[in-house]
Amino acid sequence: MIEGPSSVTDDDLIVEMKQERTSAVAISRVRLALRAIAVPSLLPSSIYENHEEKRVTIATKTMLFNTDPLVGYATVSGIPFILHEKSPYQVDFDYKLLTTKSKFMDAMAYAGKVVAKNHAISDKDYDTAIVAVSVDKEVTDMTSGDRAAFKDEIVNFAVDYATQVEYDYTSFVNAYNQGVPLY
């Protein structure tokens, strides 16, 4: 907690520190011989100087409009952390409210719009040194052409991702059952 300029609590800030780990995309390329689910050249480790916390900070700033000005990173005792302001009024999403397929599909439609918007602004308009292309133009060009090939690519990605999720879950359960510390 950071004390604001006055003694009232309304101008105080809460800064959350979250430990960062290696990108799940990078790990999955190493662990399984699946097709690459990301193009490594789009964010080479040299851009973020091999600091996982800097990678997440850059990605956050590129994907969010009006990013929290306190988004940053720090290394404490060799452990990488990302920092950001946390609202004391923020509440977590209650997944228990998704009691029907219709409610689930509505929630996924909203989530899809958010992801699409964030990806659309994550391009050369932010920083050409990080992403040198206009992502929205690339997506438009790709989907306006061979839609069957695009659909196949999405299906292949989903299948590969599902395989990875199943592998990760099995690994988690096995580690848990063997008493391996998970954190």
Side-chain angles (χ1 to χ4, degrees):
M1 185 138 179
I2 300 174
E3 178 69 41
S6 72
S7 61
V8 298
T9 57
D10 290 352
D11 60 2
D12 295 345
L13 299 174
I14 299 171
V15 178
E16 181 178 54
M17 289 179 68
K18 179 182 173 199
Q19 183 178 352
E20 286 306 321
R21 299 195 183 275
T22 303
S23 160
V25 172
I27 291 171
S28 54
R29 271 185 263 150
V30 171
R31 285 198 290 195
L32 288 178
L34 294 174
R35 294 173 26 255
I37 61 175
V39 181
S41 62
L42 288 182
L43 189 58
S45 61
S46 61
I47 293 289
Y48 56 90
E49 301 163 356
N50 294 309
H51 290 277
E52 291 303 316
E53 66 275 29
K54 187 172 183 180
R55 174 188 56 81
V56 174
T57 300
I58 290 170
T60 300
K61 289 180 178 181
T62 59
M63 292 199 329
L64 298 175
F65 185 71
N66 286 334
T67 305
D68 168 12
L70 298 179
V71 167
Y73 58 93
T75 302
V76 179
S77 299
I79 300 171
F81 292 90
I82 184 168
L83 294 91
H84 68 95
E85 182 177 358
K86 184 165 177 94
S87 169
Y89 309 105
Q90 181 178 347
V91 295
D92 288 333
F93 174 73
D94 186 359
Y95 67 88
K96 293 176 188 167
L97 297 175
L98 302 178
T99 56
T100 66
K101 181 179 179 181
S102 175
K103 288 180 181 180
F104 177 78
M105 296 306 289
D106 287 346
M108 292 305 98
Y110 287 119
K113 288 176 183 179
V114 169
V115 170
K117 180 202 122 308
N118 288 344
H119 282 82
I121 64 172
S122 307
D123 62 10
K124 69 179 185 177
D125 298 331
Y126 172 72
D127 187 339
T128 57
I130 297 171
V131 182
V133 298
S134 174
V135 173
D136 47 340
K137 182 180 178 335
E138 295 286 320
V139 169
T140 299
D141 290 350
M142 185 183 346
T143 58
S144 296
D146 186 351
R147 292 183 181 197
F150 179 70
K151 182 179 176 182
D152 287 345
E153 180 65 26
I154 296 298
V155 169
N156 289 333
F157 169 82
V159 170
D160 289 349
Y161 195 81
T163 301
Q164 182 65 50
V165 169
E166 289 171 1
Y167 173 82
D168 290 346
Y169 178 74
T170 301
S171 298
F172 171 83
V173 170
N174 289 340
Y176 178 80
N177 289 338
Q178 294 171 11
V180 174
L182 301 173
Y183 265 96

